[in-house]
Amino acid sequence: MTANPGFSRSAVTSLWSRFRLWLCLIMLWSTVACKEVPIPSAGIPAAAATVAAREEATAGKDLAPDSPLPHIDAKRAFAYTREVTAFGPRYMGSENHKKLERYILDHLKGDQIEEDAFTADTVEGKFPVRNIIAKFPGKKDGIIAILGHYETNYPLRTTGYVGANDGGTSTAILLEFADQLQGKPRDGYSVWLVWTDGEEAVKSWSSTDSLYGTRHLAEKWEKDGTLKKIKALMVMDMIGAQDVNILHDSNSTPWLLDLIRTAAEHGGYQSHFYALQAGEEDDHIPFVQRGVPCADVIGVPYGYNDVFHHTPQDTMDKLSPKSLEIVGNTILETIRLLDQR
Ligand SMILES: [Zn+2]
């Protein structure tokens, strides 16, 4: 997807055909019989290659929507981002973190809520960690999980860092998804929204200093059998920057990334997806490691050369409701496509 080879397979085939013709003529000249030798990999006839390319290009088009595309309320999602960010730094163990937990739980009143709370032992001491799970049951057997971290970076706690995009938008888009799901019976899979805690490292990122909440949750869900029921798990992270571009994460599951691309195409948002490719370490990793189909939906770089990421410049003025709309609508459409599978 990211690499443009600069020439087509049929062009190569035609060059090869010409070369073969000359080869035959030369061999005929030396009165040696020339047999048609099948060409190993580039040997697909040009017409067949065109058909294959066309089939590839239309893959998933049979899932094209026959009813209006689902959409979020982007203004409301942006207002949630503003309210969440206004709490200030929301790092693990802080008062603001507790206030935000309360804010999320208040929002989910009446929903089926579960918490995964424990104490994390870190190089900076012990911290209470709490993942908040809202469950919206469906008729189909299986779960679509959507995760997003709500706490902010710990090492930057004294810098005035508020994590509007990194922590703010992930919390807010899940609140908006909850609004979309509340009170509507689902014919498709159950949808579980998970506000994850302790995503950030407390000192410096490593496999033991990061992803405190999801490492705990993945282990718990492995033991109680939940993991086997998860059809797809998507992580929302830093999705609100102006002119957002979602990374093609090489640690994610290819078919799920493709399905998200199809969903984006249905909304005309494809130019905001997959311009760059890299392997991202995020809340999906503990689930990837256990074989769950996962996609990290993360907007990086954040600002030119990633300048706003993990700096006190991660503030509301860098964000746009349009980006929340692009990602939010795409994920709702992805849920719809998953339900149809
Ligand atoms: Zn972060």
Side-chain angles (χ1 to χ4, degrees), residues 90 149 151-153 161-170 199-200 237-238 302 309-310 314:
R90 309 173 295 284
H149 76 98
E151 106 286 11
T152 53
N153 182 290
Y161 174 85
V162 292
N165 198 22
D166 193 0
T169 57
S170 38
E199 186 268 340
E200 303 277 6
D237 202 1
M238 304 206 292
Y302 177 22
H309 184 205
H310 284 179
D314 182 0

